[in-house]
Amino acid sequence: MKGRFYEIIGIMFVISSGFLHTLERCANFIASGLSAQGLAVFSGNGGFSKPWVDPKDNVFVIPFLLIGIVAFLYGLIRNFIKRTVPPK
């Protein structure tokens, strides 16, 4: 666990970023469905547009993704350097 700490943390951050983006897409899909049915308070004209969520809409998705990628790459490079440098 100690040698692979940064790789595991990086994977966890990338997965949590994807999970947050998926939750936001699901919530947007439900909200647009309610709006299309006229059940929302401010339903507007009831258009049937497809819901679209950009990853930049959530303030946590992009930072979690970047932290995850950097931590994972740092862990890979660190382990590679440890294996190639012989002990003195």
Side-chain angles (χ1 to χ4, degrees):
M1 174 69 182
K2 188 176 180 183
R4 301 255 183 215
F5 176 74
Y6 289 106
E7 294 172 9
I8 293 171
I9 291 296
I11 290 171
M12 287 174 53
F13 268 102
V14 169
I15 289 173
S16 63
S17 170
F19 183 70
L20 285 174
H21 183 63
T22 302
L23 282 178
E24 190 171 10
R25 287 182 60 197
C26 290
N28 192 16
F29 184 74
I30 291 170
S32 68
L34 291 174
S35 176
Q37 291 175 3
L39 299 175
V41 176
F42 299 107
S43 61
N45 60 0
F48 293 103
S49 64
K50 242 185 170 179
W52 179 256
V53 176
D54 207 19
K56 296 178 286 189
D57 292 342
N58 192 335
V59 296
F60 294 111
V61 171
I62 298 294
F64 276 21
L65 186 63
L66 290 176
I67 290 170
I69 291 171
V70 168
F72 183 76
L73 290 177
Y74 176 73
L76 280 178
I77 292 170
R78 183 176 164 202
N79 286 339
F80 181 74
I81 290 173
K82 271 186 174 179
R83 277 188 268 145
T84 57
V85 175
K88 293 182 181 182

